Amino acid sequence: MYGNIMEMMGKLQSAQENFEKLKQKLDSQSFTENSSDGTISITMTELATIKDIQIASGLLADKEQLEDTLVVTLNKALEKVKQNAMQEAKNTAKESLPPIPGLSF
């Protein structure tokens, strides 16, 4: 009985370490999302840290359009972050955690 508990504790510790590695990996990877009209470019990490925003010079005069385009483009980028992070977490859980009844990935 104690052997199974110790084995499970070891696997959980390993899973915790794997998730920390995943966090570091996602924070070191970045991508760029462009607005549909190409006027705004946003670069962010896979953990949703914004690294850079580029704005076409023509947009600087139209504050409302700039705000709207930023919101749409940021939301597109954040959706990609969420989808990728969820998939990476599922993969890490499958590889790291012992089978747990009722828990599927």
Side-chain angles (χ1 to χ4, degrees):
M1 178 173 170
Y2 291 114
N4 288 341
I5 292 174
M6 295 305 290
E7 182 180 337
M8 178 150 321
M9 293 299 288
K11 287 183 179 182
L12 291 175
Q13 177 67 30
S14 175
Q16 182 179 5
E17 291 168 3
N18 288 340
F19 277 105
E20 183 60 35
K21 287 178 189 173
L22 174 60
K23 179 183 170 199
Q24 291 172 358
K25 173 186 164 189
L26 293 176
D27 199 36
S28 69
Q29 295 176 337
S30 62
F31 69 97
T32 301
E33 183 68 40
N34 297 304
S35 62
S36 59
D37 61 2
T39 57
I40 293 181
S41 172
I42 297 170
T43 301
M44 65 186 345
T45 70
E46 293 285 348
L47 276 182
T49 301
I50 297 171
K51 294 292 189 180
D52 186 49
I53 298 176
Q54 297 290 317
I55 301 169
S57 58
L59 274 183
L60 297 178
D62 190 347
K63 180 182 180 288
E64 190 172 309
Q65 181 185 357
L66 174 60
E67 292 169 344
D68 291 345
T69 305
L70 273 169
V71 167
V72 170
T73 307
L74 279 166
N75 283 330
K76 282 175 39 181
L78 290 170
E79 185 59 34
K80 283 184 179 180
V81 166
K82 284 188 246 178
Q83 290 176 356
N84 185 52
M86 286 175 41
Q87 187 58 49
E88 291 282 350
K90 284 180 184 179
N91 293 342
T92 300
K94 280 182 188 178
E95 295 168 3
S96 302
L97 295 174
I100 300 172
L103 184 64
S104 62
F105 299 104

